[in-house]
Amino acid sequence: MRRNKDIDTDGSPAVNTAGQGFADEEFTVEDLRIDNRIWPGLADVPTGVRAAASAKVADRLFRRAAADLDVRIEYPDGALVGARREQEILPRMIIRNPDAFARRVGTSGLIGFGESYMAGDWTSPDLAAVLSVFASRMATLIPRPLQRLRALYVAKHPAQERNTEQNTRSNISRHYDLSNEMFETFLDETLTYSSALFSSTPTRVGQVRDVTVLRAPVPQVTPKWDDFADAQRRKIDRLLDEAGVGAGTRLLEIGTGWGELCIRAAERGAVVRSVTLSSEQQSLARRRVAEAGHSDAVQIDLLDYRNVDGEYDAIVSVEMIEAVGHQYWATYFRVLDKLLAPGGRVALQAITMPHDRMLQTRNTYTWVHKYIFPGGFLPSTEAIESVTAEHTGLRVRERLSMGQHYAETLRLWKERFAAHSAQAEELGFDETFRRMWHFYLCYSEAGFRSGYIDVQQLVLDKTGARP
């Protein structure tokens, strides 16, 4: 996530005008130059006896795990790995440098898997499709006996990325302060950086204890870019509706983004306080609020959620809990409980993962942590319900699952970012960054497309008895 406007890069990923992201099928390792000043160590393939031994094990495990997957893995010597589907066109993963790929994966696991893509050791004409296949089998790719040993070989989170009050500003800045102009290359006119909602009528699928469970129907028609801004507004409006936001509501937003929710709440007559830790977002959000004529009704502060004061009739937070860190979930919900007025409601939009996978991975340092969201971690719905029940008077009353809508959101972002690759380059984001960002968008799309992760809108109230 580094940029340098004074450093030139040679070449840029070709744009697939059919909308499949980077068309880098013909990419060769020699085409990519990795500047060590921006990406220290990325170009270095692990060496030594341990790296060589780990590479052999990683290569054997990878080929065995992929042998029956619906993917076509192609090696330079002509070897093919993956399920045999003579009548189907399977997603292609093209290994350009098998030894470097195996050494990186053997040494650094999934971090090495992502770095090997950034470094050009492998590529794909449809990266999201390849990653979706792996994501659908994530829980079983590694043999169970080795999963029990994961604590011995997976990387641990750096202490400086733990979400203390001292560290959180830096963690947030590393992502959200990259450049407003860079985010504008792929976001829609609302500048909303979270899942859209492409249909407004959810289906009720059940009742789990006191929680009503809803599901947003999978879009029947592939969403187009022209549908996007309205789908983002639909998502925001549903959250405001569920939180009961109207004329005179004292609304707290935790995590400002670029101001669209503030504007839509102010249009309803609400008085809004929004907090963020991104100075770039604060600056642009304030400008957008002023241009919309709502400066008198909206206050945007550069402030940690732990330091917010006052009392609010409603609290809305969109995909911010992922940046809290599991060590601080109790603190986060206690703050919401303290700030929410009696009878008020909280509406959250949260990316979630299955509870068992959450427990297994909560101490694992991943490629996403290293390059995209330092300090981040996804909760499960069970974790949210148990933490609020144990530490607060808040109770989850409703949740809406909409994971496939996020898959479509990410597809649209991916296509848009690919189409504006040259613009990102002009902003100073080199080819390695653009490959990293493409991998991030495809990696995320694959998680939602496969169902490995979900995104949900949750409604909480303060009617539960405080312990």
Side-chain angles (χ1 to χ4, degrees):
M1 299 186 304
R2 304 159 178 84
R3 63 185 177 126
N4 190 325
K5 296 183 179 179
D6 300 321
I7 295 175
D8 294 327
T9 56
D10 295 328
S12 62
V15 175
N16 184 333
T17 56
Q20 296 300 315
F22 288 104
D24 55 9
E25 181 178 349
E26 301 306 319
F27 177 83
T28 61
V29 177
E30 292 76 15
D31 293 333
L32 180 63
R33 295 182 182 180
I34 302 173
D35 193 302
N36 197 53
R37 293 171 294 175
I38 307 174
W39 308 95
L42 181 61
D44 302 329
V45 178
T47 59
V49 175
R50 183 175 180 179
S54 297
K56 290 182 179 179
V57 174
D59 181 66
R60 189 178 303 116
L61 288 173
F62 178 74
R63 291 178 186 245
R64 186 173 75 175
D68 63 345
L69 296 181
D70 289 332
V71 66
R72 176 187 173 99
I73 302 173
E74 305 172 10
Y75 286 83
D77 62 2
L80 299 177
V81 176
R84 298 292 187 265
R85 300 280 191 274
E86 301 299 336
Q87 305 303 318
E88 296 182 39
I89 300 176
L90 299 177
R92 298 171 64 207
M93 178 180 181
I94 304 164
I95 308 290
R96 300 297 191 192
N97 190 329
D99 182 64
F101 172 75
R103 285 173 178 266
R104 292 183 199 274
V105 174
T107 301
S108 303
L110 290 177
I111 293 178
F113 184 80
E115 288 180 336
S116 65
Y117 179 84
M118 294 168 63
D121 299 334
W122 68 277
T123 188
S124 172
D126 192 346
L127 180 59
V130 169
L131 295 177
S132 293
V133 173
F134 287 111
S136 66
R137 298 279 292 276
M138 185 64 71
T140 58
L141 283 176
I142 304 299
R144 192 167 297 277
L146 290 181
Q147 289 187 31
R148 299 191 188 101
L149 301 175
R150 64 180 293 117
L152 300 178
Y153 62 85
V154 297
K156 301 295 189 296
H157 292 266
Q160 66 270 23
E161 291 184 6
R162 186 173 173 135
N163 282 310
T164 63
E165 289 189 52
Q166 293 73 30
N167 296 340
T168 301
R169 174 76 187 276
S170 173
N171 287 344
I172 294 297
S173 180
R174 281 173 54 186
H175 186 87
Y176 294 98
D177 286 342
L178 282 169
S179 159
N180 286 336
E181 294 78 11
M182 192 281 291
F183 284 101
E184 287 173 345
T185 64
F186 67 94
L187 297 180
D188 67 275
E189 66 190 59
T190 69
L191 293 182
T192 305
Y193 189 37
S194 52
S195 178
L197 181 59
F198 293 97
S199 59
S200 58
T201 307
T203 301
R204 178 171 174 149
V205 296
Q207 188 84 13
V208 180
R209 295 180 296 278
D210 295 328
V211 183
T212 301
V213 182
L214 307 172
R215 180 173 294 117
V218 176
Q220 296 301 302
V221 178
T222 302
K224 305 293 192 298
W225 185 260
D226 290 344
D227 306 324
F228 206 9
D230 285 343
Q232 291 289 13
R233 296 184 183 104
R234 182 181 298 114
K235 173 271 301 295
I236 292 171
D237 289 345
R238 187 180 188 280
L239 286 166
L240 295 176
D241 288 344
E242 294 299 322
V245 176
T249 300
R250 298 169 298 170
L251 171 65
L252 171 66
E253 180 190 24
I254 300 180
T256 306
W258 285 276
E260 186 69 17
L261 191 145
C262 290
I263 293 170
R264 295 193 73 76
E267 288 174 348
R268 297 179 174 214
V271 178
V272 186
R273 186 183 189 188
S274 185
V275 297
T276 179
L277 287 177
S278 167
S279 56
E280 289 270 320
Q281 287 188 333
Q282 181 196 39
S283 175
L284 182 52
R286 282 179 168 176
R287 191 173 82 221
R288 294 184 72 227
V289 166
E291 290 172 352
H294 296 300
S295 294
D296 291 343
V298 177
Q299 173 184 338
I300 302 175
D301 297 324
L302 198 66
L303 189 67
D304 190 286
Y305 70 91
R306 285 165 282 211
N307 297 319
V308 177
D309 58 4
E311 183 178 76
Y312 304 89
D313 305 309
I315 301 175
V316 176
S317 187
V318 183
E319 294 180 25
M320 180 271 173
I321 191 174
E322 302 85 351
V324 169
H326 65 87
Q327 304 94 335
Y328 300 97
W329 287 341
T331 300
Y332 174 76
F333 283 109
R334 278 197 293 260
V335 168
L336 301 190
D337 191 20
K338 179 187 72 172
L339 297 173
L340 188 66
R345 278 183 279 175
V346 176
L348 304 180
Q349 185 161 303
I351 302 172
T352 60
M353 68 187 305
H355 191 64
D356 60 338
R357 296 299 298 165
M358 186 206 77
L359 294 175
Q360 292 178 30
T361 61
R362 60 185 169 183
N363 295 315
T364 302
Y365 189 59
T366 68
W367 181 89
V368 170
H369 292 128
K370 183 174 181 178
Y371 289 99
I372 308 297
F373 292 114
F377 188 67
L378 306 183
S380 65
T381 53
E382 293 92 332
I384 292 173
E385 291 174 5
S386 64
V387 168
T388 52
E390 182 177 353
H391 297 280
T392 76
L394 299 173
R395 297 294 181 270
V396 177
R397 299 303 183 192
E398 178 185 282
R399 50 186 169 91
L400 169 70
S401 170
M402 44 189 275
Q404 291 306 309
H405 293 249
Y406 218 151
E408 295 300 331
T409 297
L410 285 151
R411 176 185 59 81
L412 290 167
W413 286 344
K414 172 190 68 180
E415 294 171 4
R416 188 78 166 183
F417 184 70
H420 290 81
S421 178
Q423 184 179 344
E425 183 178 13
E426 291 172 0
L427 291 170
F429 295 93
D430 68 8
E431 184 171 2
T432 305
F433 176 93
R434 298 195 304 275
R435 286 183 69 82
M436 177 197 76
W437 204 258
H438 179 61
F439 187 87
Y440 151 58
L441 294 175
C442 291
Y443 179 93
S444 302
E445 179 187 346
F448 292 104
R449 189 81 64 191
S450 66
Y452 182 73
I453 54 178
D454 194 6
V455 64
Q456 304 189 55
Q457 290 189 349
L458 301 99
V459 181
L460 302 89
D461 65 27
K462 203 172 179 177
T463 57
R466 182 185 300 276

